Amino acid sequence: MNADRIYTPRRPLLLEAITAAALIAAPFVLPYFDAAPNTVNRILVWGLFGIGFDILFGYTGLLSFGQSALYGTGGFVAAYLLTVAGFPYVITALVIGMVAAAVVGYVVGLIALRRTGIYFAMITIAIAEVFFFVEFNPLSEWTGGENGLPGVPTPSLDLGSLHLRFTTGWSLYPFLAFCYFVGIVVALRIVRSPAGAIFRAIRENPLRAAAVGHNIHAYKLTAFVIAAAYAGFAGGLLGVMQAFMPPDAFMLETSGQLVMQTAIGGTGTLFGPLAGAAVWLFLQDFLQGTLGLGATWKLVLGLVFVVLVCFLRQGILGGVRNFVALFSSKAESRPSDTPEPASFAAPMPARHELGNGFTGPILQAKGLTKRYGGVVANEGIDFTVNAGDLRGIIGPNGAGKSTFFKMLTCEVPPTSGRITFEGRDITGMRVTDVCQLGLTKSYQVNQLFNRLTVRENVAIAALAELRGKFRLDLMRSLLDVKGLDAQVDHTLALVGLAARRDVPVAQLAYGEKRRLEIALALASSPSLLLLDEPLAGMSPRERVETVGLLRSIAEDRTMIIIDHDMDALFELAGRITVLQEGRVLVEGTPEEIKRNERVQEAYLGGLEDLAA
Ligand code: ADP
């Protein structure tokens, strides 16, 4: 069960078929295990609720404790329509509840997603508490306050001569199982879509996902709304299942239970919340009912939770998935001691191919200054690069090289000064938009998507160019993105990682990771590529290979390289800019730089070998 790979499995409908078979078999098999139908139904409702939460948390990495607000919203809207308002259509009411929860989710998401990490989680807790209060106080006339809304009807279907009535227990089961099945089919499509792939990239490394050109805020909001819609529909089912909409749907404890069930079952699996709910509710039935432990059952459950989290960090299904993956990819997953030499395939064309695209100064910086409090990282830098140039930047540690690159790619805004790229003023733009225009960089410290494979990493970057910064193609398969495979294969061949394409990043050798770091920048076909110390930490042999790779990439685009390996830069670059104490010390050809006295002084006079 490997729902966490971004490429559709070889048998794309296998999971759907197994799910359908299991749901059909359940009412015939489970009674032999003394499973109460009401427990099974509750598991399905929690499972459906959790599918959306898993997309939000397991896939996108956003831990929300506010799902009870959306569960309650969907539930109470549907229940109000079906009871107080006398609306007769149960399924339509459930859908209206779902839409209401999605709309509320959109607004809540806009607020909560202004922050990340623990602050995001804290805002969602506050929001859950606000909804709970509102349900009990100002809105109690509509929600029934602490009494909830009794008398929620169950659905029935009139299909010509066939009248289906779903009441309680096993009679309601087919309806809930069908809803769960539709929920899973939709979710599997979402996580196999290009947007689903970007959700995972955000979970792994939001900074890089934005830097390769994705509007991560819009994707996070999308995941939040999807989770809200699932929560809203499940909330409505809760009322239908109990013939009563309980006020405790809104309680923070509901959110907590959902988080714990998902963690127990396995995050990033879609089926984890169902498995977690099964463990939780069967244990509850068994410990409370059969063993008569009363409230003490929670203590046992707590122990089970601690043991599972300690020994199976990715939950039950996550553990099963890792176990299966271990065996299926044992052969490929060994890090290579002898990295495959770069193949130097013909470079992929940049967006604006040289010769028929931009000519003249592709990048100009004027008076670029960056101050961090009292620290002046860059001061009044004037810098011009012409299309087709390969420029080197050198300077001692702390000279301001990395800060300069961060300003050029709009990762940090300059304190003053202006930047022009291809004739357009990009000062103050976002890093995502600048990447979309064709200017990007590779990082000094690798910024990769660690739990994804090499091929998936490159695909994430390529998708930003092929689809733009945001697209809601949730029902489209990643395999249908035109040109994706060609672009990924080409990039991998170029950096010599084609044979390692299915290996997770965490298992790569260091030199391979450095080449993948360059591949991520290359995959979006930039017309201007900035490389921050691409040779750092490499062995002499890897350096020679990578210098060859850089030369090959530069044939087709403009590049600026920062590195401490002066021999390599003098060999590669047509011109070199030397930075010192945040300013341009000197600029010239490698020969001029080697002979320049101020440069030799800057390097403590110890580099007569500069001229060697
Ligand atoms: P280099 O890449 O040449 O080693 P940097 O651009 O990393 O230099 O740093 C230049 C100066 O700016 C250093 O003194 C560094 O301490 C300072 N600096 C860089 N980033 C920050 C930051 N985020 N906050 C405060 N000071 C910073």
Side-chain angles (χ1 to χ4, degrees):
M1 186 175 301
N2 199 349
D4 198 26
R5 291 266 69 92
I6 75 169
Y7 283 99
T8 314
R10 264 158 284 165
R11 283 166 296 221
L13 295 178
L14 184 67
L15 280 177
E16 288 86 338
I18 294 173
T19 309
L23 288 170
I24 292 169
F28 302 100
V29 176
L30 290 177
Y32 288 104
F33 296 92
D34 277 344
N38 284 340
T39 306
V40 177
N41 287 347
R42 278 159 67 211
I43 291 169
L44 284 175
V45 173
W46 277 110
L48 187 65
F49 184 15
I51 291 173
F53 176 68
D54 198 27
I55 290 176
L56 183 66
F57 176 47
Y59 286 85
T60 319
L62 297 168
L63 177 55
S64 162
F65 287 96
Q67 296 315 98
S68 52
L70 305 155
Y71 189 56
T73 300
F76 273 97
V77 167
Y80 181 85
L81 287 173
L82 292 170
T83 57
V84 185
F87 187 72
Y89 307 109
V90 175
I91 296 172
T92 312
L94 290 172
V95 172
I96 295 172
M98 178 178 84
V99 173
V103 171
V104 171
Y106 179 81
V107 177
V108 169
L110 278 180
I111 300 165
L113 290 168
R114 297 177 72 86
R115 290 285 171 269
T116 55
I118 186 73
Y119 299 103
F120 166 78
M122 282 161 64
I123 294 175
T124 61
I125 291 176
I127 286 170
E129 292 289 28
V130 167
F131 272 71
F132 182 65
F133 174 81
V134 169
E135 188 265 346
F136 266 83
N137 293 290
L139 292 188
S140 58
E141 238 177 81
W142 285 275
T143 61
E146 61 190 27
N147 299 319
L149 290 174
V152 182
T154 49
S156 56
L157 276 181
D158 282 329
L159 304 166
S161 56
L162 187 67
H163 300 284
L164 295 176
R165 268 203 71 72
F166 305 97
T167 53
T168 55
W170 289 122
S171 148
L172 183 63
Y173 172 87
F175 178 70
L176 297 178
F178 180 75
C179 292
Y180 182 82
F181 181 70
V182 172
I184 270 293
V185 169
V186 169
L188 282 168
R189 288 203 70 139
I190 291 174
V191 301
R192 291 167 179 168
S193 72
I198 296 157
F199 289 166
R200 293 179 187 77
I202 293 171
R203 174 191 73 197
E204 294 300 307
N205 192 335
L207 177 126
R208 192 60 188 262
V212 296
H214 298 295
N215 180 350
I216 62 166
H217 182 75
Y219 284 108
K220 285 183 189 176
L221 192 54
T222 303
F224 203 89
V225 171
I226 292 170
Y230 273 92
F233 196 84
L237 288 181
L238 177 73
V240 166
M241 180 175 68
Q242 302 191 161
F244 160 65
M245 189 61 213
D248 54 6
F250 269 117
M251 280 169 73
L252 186 60
E253 210 180 321
T254 302
S255 295
Q257 185 170 339
L258 182 72
V259 173
M260 284 174 74
Q261 285 176 355
T262 307
I264 290 172
T267 54
T269 60
L270 294 184
F271 297 90
L274 184 83
V279 170
W280 185 293
L281 297 179
F282 281 134
L283 260 183
Q284 181 176 15
D285 276 4
F286 177 71
L287 298 171
Q288 244 183 343
T290 316
L291 296 187
L293 288 186
T296 325
W297 82 276
K298 283 206 168 163
L299 186 70
V300 181
L301 182 87
L303 288 176
V304 170
F305 182 72
V306 170
V307 168
L308 273 172
V309 171
C310 287
F311 293 100
L312 275 179
R313 277 189 51 211
Q314 289 178 350
I316 298 168
L317 296 185
V320 171
R321 185 178 62 197
N322 292 348
F323 191 70
V324 171
L326 192 73
F327 282 95
S328 60
S329 67
K330 220 174 181 182
E332 319 154 59
S333 62
R334 204 167 23 90
S336 67
D337 309 326
T338 49
E340 176 194 354
S343 64
F344 313 137
M348 193 166 35
R351 246 170 259 211
H352 306 281
E353 277 185 77
L354 296 174
N356 63 6
F358 201 86
T359 53
I362 190 169
L363 181 87
Q364 281 183 301
K366 283 224 180 328
L368 219 50
T369 298
K370 182 72 191 176
R371 291 193 198 95
Y372 290 106
V375 179
V376 181
N378 282 162
E379 175 91 64
I381 296 186
D382 293 326
F383 182 82
T384 301
V385 174
N386 287 321
D389 280 359
L390 200 173
R391 174 69 60 89
I393 296 184
I394 59 172
N397 276 334
K401 305 181 294 297
S402 288
T403 305
F404 182 50
F405 262 20
K406 283 182 192 160
M407 283 195 285
L408 293 182
T409 50
C410 294
E411 228 173 281
V412 299
T415 309
S416 62
R418 304 224 70 84
I419 308 159
T420 315
F421 171 62
E422 292 185 338
R424 178 200 289 238
D425 189 338
I426 60 166
T427 324
M429 280 175 74
R430 285 165 200 262
V431 66
T432 303
D433 296 315
V434 171
C435 180
Q436 285 288 340
L437 290 176
L439 162 56
T440 193
K441 76 165 186 162
S442 76
Y443 286 73
Q444 186 183 358
V445 177
N446 292 336
Q447 294 289 342
L448 306 170
F449 306 112
N450 278 330
R451 270 161 61 194
L452 305 188
T453 64
V454 168
R455 177 190 184 206
E456 290 169 345
N457 265 262
V458 176
I460 296 295
L463 281 172
E465 191 209 343
L466 296 169
R467 294 167 63 254
K469 66 177 179 175
F470 179 67
R471 189 181 283 195
L472 264 183
D473 46 6
L474 295 166
M475 291 296 119
R476 176 189 187 197
S477 165
L478 192 64
L479 300 178
D480 295 340
V481 180
K482 268 212 187 93
L484 179 63
D485 279 349
Q487 194 153 331
V488 170
D489 290 347
H490 202 106
T491 310
L492 289 178
L494 188 59
V495 298
L497 287 174
R500 306 284 281 159
R501 63 209 308 269
D502 293 320
V503 176
V505 168
Q507 293 169 16
L508 290 181
Y510 180 75
E512 294 175 320
K513 284 187 184 166
R514 283 311 279 162
R515 277 188 277 149
L516 181 59
E517 174 60 45
I518 296 172
L520 279 189
L522 260 184
S524 57
S525 320
S527 39
L528 173 56
L529 177 60
L530 277 47
L531 301 169
D532 196 347
E533 298 200 26
L535 305 174
M538 286 191 170
S539 68
R541 179 178 152 187
E542 286 169 340
R543 274 166 193 259
V544 173
E545 281 172 8
T546 309
V547 167
L549 163 67
L550 296 179
R551 188 177 289 118
S552 137
I553 297 170
E555 278 169 21
D556 203 29
R557 73 199 70 239
T558 316
M559 275 185 6
I560 312 175
I561 305 177
I562 294 177
D563 213 278
H564 285 294
D565 186 334
M566 295 199 210
D567 288 340
L569 271 198
F570 288 156
E571 191 189 322
L572 279 169
R575 282 181 83 74
I576 305 267
T577 302
V578 185
L579 291 188
Q580 193 191 18
E581 291 174 4
R583 297 165 185 270
V584 176
L585 180 70
V586 53
E587 195 173 288
T589 63
E591 284 310 312
E592 288 163 356
I593 297 297
K594 281 182 204 172
R595 283 196 298 269
N596 189 294
E597 281 179 17
R598 291 166 71 197
V599 176
Q600 291 182 3
E601 262 172 46
Y603 281 85
L604 299 171
L607 294 187
E608 287 87 350
D609 56 341
L610 274 178

